[in-house]
Amino acid sequence: VLVLREVRPTQRSLVFHTDLRSPKCDGLERAGDLTAVFYDPARQRQLRLHGEARLHRDNRSPERQAWHALHPRTQATYCGDQPGLPLPKDLIDAGAGAVSPPDPANLQQGFRNFAVITFQVTLIRWLQLDRAGNREAWFNYTSGTPDTCWVVA
């Protein structure tokens, strides 16, 4: 799971933030392929975006700008333990899980765990669910110009 932080429609790209210690980062660096799925239950529409993901983990300007735009409490979430590790029962019983106020000295450690993922969309699959018959359209941008078609859903 990734949290969407920015949409760049004219560039057909999305921006996510993540913790470098998360196992998904290894997978992204190896494969680079990503599919993002969005669903609107009220309209019964699904949007599948396929493309190339790039993990930015260095200390360059875009990562630093994204980091500084975060609220300090959000920055503090990157200072804790590695994501996905089980919490010991005594911490659960004590109400662990709430982020304590960040210590400015620890925020630098949080920045070392912080990464930006840019996702360049090359294929958009739009699906309208309907009991009378689903409709699906593809918008393929792999050749640089959009190639669109309706497909059997």
Side-chain angles (χ1 to χ4, degrees):
V1 173
L2 294 170
V3 177
L4 180 62
R5 293 293 183 167
E6 183 181 350
V7 176
R8 299 173 180 165
T10 58
Q11 299 169 320
R12 286 185 333 279
S13 66
L14 306 176
V15 177
F16 303 93
H17 296 171
T18 193
D19 191 309
L20 282 169
R21 300 167 297 167
S22 172
K24 67 181 156 253
C25 292
D26 291 334
L28 277 174
E29 285 190 314
R30 277 194 312 276
D33 296 331
L34 184 70
T35 299
V37 179
F38 302 91
Y39 181 65
D40 180 347
R43 292 188 175 127
Q44 298 224 311
R45 276 191 201 137
Q46 185 182 85
L47 194 62
R48 291 184 198 172
L49 308 177
H50 304 273
E52 294 286 321
R54 192 160 161 246
L55 186 67
H56 304 274
R57 58 171 38 218
D58 49 26
N59 194 6
R60 295 209 177 123
S61 180
E63 293 76 31
R64 195 162 277 295
Q65 287 174 1
W67 175 256
H68 288 298
L70 295 175
H71 189 279
R73 290 190 68 75
T74 304
Q75 291 176 340
T77 63
Y78 293 91
C79 298
D81 289 333
Q82 177 180 335
L85 291 179
L87 283 173
K89 185 174 178 351
D90 60 329
L91 288 179
I92 296 169
D93 293 341
V99 178
S100 55
D103 174 0
N106 279 349
L107 291 183
Q108 270 311 106
Q109 176 58 43
F111 180 68
R112 286 190 285 276
N113 297 329
F114 176 76
V116 172
I117 297 170
T118 54
F119 174 46
Q120 183 64 50
V121 178
T122 56
L123 174 64
I124 300 171
R125 295 175 60 187
W126 174 90
L127 174 64
Q128 176 66 58
L129 299 172
D130 190 328
R131 290 177 195 216
N134 299 333
R135 293 176 293 152
E136 185 170 0
W138 288 26
F139 304 87
N140 191 335
Y141 294 90
T142 54
S143 65
T145 58
D147 179 24
T148 60
C149 67
W150 289 96
V151 297
V152 177

